[in-house]
Amino acid sequence: MTHDSRLTTFVDTHTHLYEAQFDADRTAMIERAINTGVSKMIIPNVDAATIKGMLDLVKQFPANIFPMIGLHPCYVKPESYKPELEIVRQYLFNEISFTNHSSIQTPQFVAVGEIGLDLYWDKSTLDIQKEAFELQCDWAIEKNLPVAIHSRDSTHILIELLKKRKNNPGGVFHCFTGSLEEANEILKLGFYVGIGGVVTYKNTNLRDTLKHLPLDKIVLETDAPYLPPVPFRGKRNESAYTKLVAETLCSVYEKGLEEIAAVTTQNAKDLFGI
Ligand SMILES: [Zn+2]
Ligand SMILES: [Zn+2]
């Protein structure tokens, strides 16, 4: 362990550690993240099938790994979204007998997520994606939890939906890649902006956008195993690379790594209560 990693800790606020890409070396990969200073990792499930893998990791690393629960917009399908949402509701409101369905008794979910809209893969489900999003926002408010929002080709729609709500749960737009105008709307709604590997890419405006956004509204993430930062593009992403995202923020904000780590870790704590 390096000197740096002892002093500097990071939170990966969005990582899919249960994915099959990690089957061969999952425990070693998570330990590598912890040894790099990524002391906390927050996992969203995406559907009912990914809950058990997530909760098994929470049991294995209770001090480091924290779960969310939600139905991802890409998994909102006409034939299955209602029973899928019912499973989310039962987990969230502790109505499931955890001994039967998972390896831990009472998981403490730190957010409802990931939820949102995805119009890249399937536009035909927009209406039921909206329905699932609104319902899960209502549950988050009822449970006093933030939401982790997935937005692809749909940020403007999500902003309008949140503006129309009587109250919104607050949370984070994860893996944000939108415009400065959208970022400002998101901040006005009280949301945080999740920044991942895209900020390291050559062909992105995200670094310029970030210069206009306050660091105390930014949380770090990887979205592993997807969207790896430079120099790992085309390879598998993992939570240890949160540090590469933080290092890019050093040049954006002209601050040292310790300060970037301290502020974003505090932001994650404020948002998720971890
Ligand atoms: Zn996502
Ligand atoms: Zn994700």
Side-chain angles (χ1 to χ4, degrees), residues 131-157:
E131 180 189 338
F133 175 73
E134 296 281 10
L135 184 60
Q136 292 180 98
C137 282
D138 291 344
W139 291 341
I141 288 167
E142 223 177 309
K143 292 292 291 185
N144 200 21
L145 288 174
V147 294
I149 294 183
H150 170 103
S151 168
R152 192 151 183 204
D153 296 350
S154 59
T155 302
H156 59 291
I157 305 176

Side-chain angles (χ1 to χ4, degrees), residues 259-274:
E259 188 173 353
I260 297 291
V263 174
T264 55
T265 295
Q266 184 62 45
N267 297 344
K269 193 175 177 186
D270 293 344
L271 179 56
F272 296 107
I274 58 164

Side-chain angles (χ1 to χ4, degrees), residues 2-208:
T2 63
H3 173 72
D4 196 43
S5 64
R6 281 182 180 275
L7 291 176
T8 313
T9 61
F10 308 94
V11 181
D12 183 355
T13 60
H14 193 109
T15 178
H16 298 267
L17 299 173
Y18 49 74
E19 288 286 3
Q21 288 96 319
F22 300 121
D23 281 355
D25 66 341
R26 183 172 287 103
T27 296
M29 180 270 301
I30 293 168
E31 284 168 353
R32 190 156 56 238
I34 294 168
N35 290 336
T36 309
V38 186
S39 58
K40 291 180 178 168
M41 289 155 264
I42 306 180
I43 312 186
N45 73 311
V46 291
D47 65 353
T50 48
I51 295 173
K52 185 178 186 304
M54 174 176 76
L55 295 181
D56 284 347
L57 288 171
V58 175
K59 189 188 181 193
Q60 195 183 347
F61 295 94
N64 306 99
I65 293 182
F66 303 86
M68 314 184 202
I69 190 91
L71 181 61
H72 186 293
C74 289
Y75 297 82
V76 175
K77 301 289 177 200
E79 65 280 8
S80 60
Y81 80 105
K82 286 197 167 152
E84 284 274 356
L85 282 169
E86 176 58 13
I87 289 167
V88 171
R89 194 193 65 75
Q90 288 179 359
Y91 269 100
L92 197 54
F93 292 90
N94 293 318
E95 289 174 14
I96 275 184
S97 165
F98 289 105
T99 41
N100 294 336
H101 292 267
S102 78
S103 53
I104 55 172
Q105 293 284 328
T106 48
Q108 291 298 312
F109 298 107
V110 300
V112 174
E114 53 183 298
I115 67 173
L117 300 178
D118 192 312
L119 297 182
Y120 178 81
W121 293 108
D122 190 353
K123 287 184 181 63
S124 76
T125 55
L126 176 60
D127 284 348
I128 56 176
Q129 286 189 43
K130 282 183 180 171
E131 180 189 338
F133 175 73
E134 296 281 10
L135 184 60
Q136 292 180 98
C137 282
D138 291 344
W139 291 341
I141 288 167
E142 223 177 309
K143 292 292 291 185
N144 200 21
L145 288 174
V147 294
I149 294 183
H150 170 103
S151 168
R152 192 151 183 204
D153 296 350
S154 59
T155 302
H156 59 291
I157 305 176
L158 281 159
I159 287 168
E160 288 314 307
L161 289 181
L162 288 166
K163 276 185 181 168
K164 264 191 230 149
R165 291 183 60 86
K166 256 202 276 167
N167 43 24
N168 82 57
V172 57
F173 273 70
H174 106 82
C175 195
F176 178 78
T177 54
S179 65
L180 178 59
E181 194 189 352
E182 287 169 337
N184 281 329
E185 296 277 6
I186 286 167
L187 296 184
K188 248 191 269 169
L189 285 161
F191 278 74
Y192 288 74
V193 175
I195 298 297
V198 172
V199 80
T200 68
Y201 296 177
K202 255 199 186 99
N203 59 343
T204 180
N205 298 324
L206 190 54
R207 286 183 298 277
D208 295 325

Side-chain angles (χ1 to χ4, degrees), residues 243-256:
K243 192 176 175 185
L244 297 173
V245 176
E247 283 168 354
T248 302
L249 294 195
C250 289
S251 58
V252 170
Y253 286 101
E254 297 175 355
K255 291 183 191 308

